[in-house]
Amino acid sequence: MPNRREFLVGAAAAAAATSASQLLAAQNGPQLSNTNVGGNNQGIISELPENPPLASKLFPPEHKFGVGGTQLGNIFKVTPDEEAENMLEACWENGVRYFDTSPFYGMGLSERRLGHFLNGKPPQEYLLSSKIGRLLKTDASVDSQGNWKGDLNFSYHFDYTAAGTRRSIEDSLQRLGVPKIDIVYIHDLTPGMLGKDWREYLETARKGAMPELSRMREEGIIGHWGMGVNNIETCLAAMESADPDVMLQATKYNLMDHEEVLNRLFPKCRENDVSVIVGAPLGAGFLAGVNRWLYSDGIPDGYWEKRDRIAQIAHQHGIDLRTAALQFTAAPDVVAATIPGARNAQQARENRASMNVRIPAEFWQQLKQEGLIAQDAPTPG
């Protein structure tokens, strides 16, 4: 039996360990589990169904590539339903089978749209990840909220407890309307989101969310779990405290900013047999020509010049900046997939096509010679 963390080549051991009676029950219809979740929540009864085997054996796609779901949640501006559906259809038609979402993306909108698209598609043909850490509640007074635009009608509160984790996954399954979630990430457990009290939330997650996700993995309700964050400290803390399978590292491994992840996170992930998913590989659009870095209009000093120079070198070698940026993030051996978002079908097709382009080795050599990327940064080919 493969190591349960090696979801690149094998199905989840949690699913493989599911008893024959549970599988038979799943085939005959959803069954309620009477699992006592233990920990600080003795007596809580799971209302989650026992699920059939998960689809992790199909991961990663051929080119270590998936799609993020922020645009499905109306990040920065409203994405019409038809445009969102067409984007997902373009992904599917071009072989994309890994889809990432979160309750936070549009206060549930991203999950609802993605679930609508996946409805009717065989669960074994795609890989799905979502997140925990926030519980949504209906609130008709909520219009746009931060970067999320439109009539959202939901608000949220943070919850990293065991009970909140199980509730969040149940809510996600209902919004998605699908029979399984392959990967669950603990979302946004960072100073940027939680402020000066973030370590208190981290301690709650150590005692609550982390062991609970391990239990749910063993029960076969989820396939794998990890952290979905934009800092390194939280990832390191999780590997010290628990047994995660994967880290979704958003915003910190890209052409503009990668040395800290390369030197601090990747070695620990290899040591702990943990895979990495790269989120926001285009810097939320900056490396595709948008004049916005990550989730604000503030561009760090020197980034304009660096982007322009890399784009110039790329043009000299017959490629474009987006292609270089995406392939760069997929190159490390510890990276399982890179997952850019896409607003529409054209962006989805362009992103996917970038993974098929052959980039000359001389391009990467020139970037290193000019100090534009780290000397020891892995590069394609």
Side-chain angles (χ1 to χ4, degrees), residues 4-16:
R4 62 175 174 72
R5 294 196 181 96
E6 293 176 341
F7 66 96
L8 305 183
V9 294

Side-chain angles (χ1 to χ4, degrees), residues 17-29 31 50-51:
T18 304
S19 68
S21 61
Q22 289 174 322
L23 291 176
L24 180 61
Q27 292 168 0
N28 292 332
Q31 304 292 317
E50 299 292 351
N51 290 309

Side-chain angles (χ1 to χ4, degrees), residues 309-351:
R309 180 55 182 154
I310 295 175
Q312 182 183 43
I313 297 171
H315 180 72
Q316 292 170 0
H317 289 276
I319 60 172
D320 61 33
L321 180 63
R322 183 194 61 252
T323 294
L326 291 176
Q327 290 201 26
F328 176 80
T329 58
D333 60 347
V334 73
V335 170
T338 186
I339 53 170
R343 178 77 59 184
N344 52 47
Q346 180 180 348
Q347 289 179 1
R349 294 188 188 101
E350 289 173 348
N351 288 344

Side-chain angles (χ1 to χ4, degrees), residues 213-235:
L213 288 171
S214 292
R215 278 189 287 268
M216 297 180 79
R217 180 180 60 199
E218 298 308 319
E219 291 169 19
I221 293 172
I222 65 173
H224 312 279
W225 74 268
M227 310 304 296
V229 293
N230 59 5
N231 72 335
I232 294 174
E233 285 70 21
T234 304
C235 295

Side-chain angles (χ1 to χ4, degrees), residues 134-296:
R134 292 177 176 87
L135 292 178
L136 303 186
K137 58 182 179 180
T138 57
D139 187 342
S141 69
V142 176
D143 190 4
S144 296
Q145 186 171 131
N147 284 329
W148 311 108
K149 307 304 179 183
D151 297 323
L152 303 177
N153 296 320
F154 284 87
S155 60
Y156 70 87
H157 66 271
F158 289 103
D159 191 325
Y160 296 98
T161 66
T165 294
R166 198 166 281 251
R167 167 66 185 276
S168 181
I169 293 172
E170 179 181 3
D171 289 351
S172 287
L173 284 167
Q174 291 178 355
R175 280 189 294 268
L176 286 157
V178 298
K180 56 91 181 188
I181 298 177
D182 295 283
I183 305 173
V184 174
Y185 299 111
I186 300 175
H187 200 197
D188 284 342
L189 219 170
T190 65
M193 282 292 180
L194 300 169
K196 61 182 179 60
D197 297 328
W198 79 278
R199 291 192 180 277
E200 295 179 18
Y201 285 97
L202 175 60
E203 188 61 24
T204 298
R206 287 181 196 265
K207 297 177 180 178
M210 293 182 192
E212 188 65 10
L213 288 171
S214 292
R215 278 189 287 268
M216 297 180 79
R217 180 180 60 199
E218 298 308 319
E219 291 169 19
I221 293 172
I222 65 173
H224 312 279
W225 74 268
M227 310 304 296
V229 293
N230 59 5
N231 72 335
I232 294 174
E233 285 70 21
T234 304
C235 295
L236 298 178
M239 286 186 279
E240 291 172 358
S241 304
D243 57 346
D245 306 288
V246 56
M247 299 294 165
L248 171 52
Q249 181 61 61
T251 77
K252 293 295 185 183
Y253 194 78
N254 52 69
L255 273 177
M256 309 301 294
D257 178 16
H258 52 268
E259 292 198 48
E260 188 178 15
V261 168
L262 188 64
N263 295 325
R264 295 184 60 204
L265 181 61
F266 284 177
K268 285 294 183 181
C269 286
R270 292 188 185 95
E271 181 182 322
N272 287 277
D273 193 21
V274 170
S275 296
V276 175
I277 307 293
V278 176
L282 298 176
F286 185 73
L287 290 166
V290 177
N291 293 331
R292 175 188 60 243
W293 174 246
L294 300 177
Y295 307 111
S296 72

